[in-house]
Amino acid sequence: MASIHKDIPIDAPAHNVWDAVRDFGALHRRLVPGFVLDTKLDGEARIVSFANGAVARELLVDCDDTRRRLVYAVISERMKQHSASVQVIAEGEASCRLIWIVDLLPHEIAPYVDGQMDQAALAMQKALARSAKVESGFASDRALSRYRGSK
């Protein structure tokens, strides 16, 4: 099974980032605007419409407020297996890291998914830092350059 790990620095307080992550039906507004165009809730699942034209059904597996960890699975004929977890870890009061892990089969689609996750990570950093700027009146672009520099 392919396993893709992203460690994404975010220039925003962990509680704000977690609030956006746990808002399962608001990907397109709060977490990855522009990368995701629309999200519709359907029971315990969300139907996600991506900017590249792809559509995915993602099932909520767990949302743990104590650990700031959300787990979801993609239900698809194209993939035999796709499970993912997103965890927010505080790094001081004004920044955090978002740890995003995706396990999937078949292996052949891992490069595509990895590239999509990189694009989503940049969209997250931009949206969440912008949100922090609005709340506090200040945030930097350090996280964007740190993520790009870690690749």
Side-chain angles (χ1 to χ4, degrees):
M1 182 175 312
S3 190
I4 304 166
H5 296 246
K6 300 294 177 184
D7 185 340
I8 307 162
I10 309 272
D11 275 341
H15 67 275
N16 289 0
V17 173
W18 173 243
D19 191 55
V21 168
R22 74 176 315 282
D23 195 351
F24 198 64
L27 283 174
H28 62 297
R29 287 191 318 270
R30 299 190 64 197
L31 195 60
V32 286
F35 181 74
V36 170
L37 300 179
D38 193 29
T39 309
K40 296 204 182 329
L41 292 176
D42 182 22
E44 291 291 311
R46 62 186 175 196
I47 310 303
V48 181
S49 299
F50 295 90
N52 68 2
V55 176
R57 180 177 180 81
E58 299 178 346
L59 180 64
L60 178 62
V61 175
D62 188 36
C63 184
D64 184 333
D65 287 320
T66 303
R67 290 180 177 86
R68 291 183 178 143
R69 183 173 181 266
L70 184 129
V71 180
Y72 64 96
V74 174
I75 301 167
S76 165
E77 290 181 16
R78 184 176 169 204
M79 293 184 235
K80 293 179 185 174
Q81 160 67 31
H82 181 294
S83 57
S85 66
V86 178
Q87 188 164 11
V88 179
I89 300 167
E91 287 194 334
E93 290 188 27
S95 65
C96 64
R97 302 192 85 65
L98 190 141
I99 308 300
W100 187 11
I101 301 170
V102 172
D103 298 314
L104 64 118
L105 286 172
H107 296 282
E108 296 77 27
I109 63 172
Y112 168 77
V113 172
D114 186 58
Q116 292 298 296
M117 289 173 70
D118 284 341
Q119 289 180 33
L122 293 173
M124 278 183 224
Q125 288 176 314
K126 185 176 180 181
L128 295 167
R130 182 174 43 241
S131 176
K133 281 182 187 179
V134 169
E135 279 193 25
S136 69
F138 175 78
S140 72
D141 291 326
R142 286 182 319 213
L144 287 172
S145 62
R146 287 195 323 245
Y147 181 72
R148 289 181 183 135
S150 70
K151 297 191 63 62

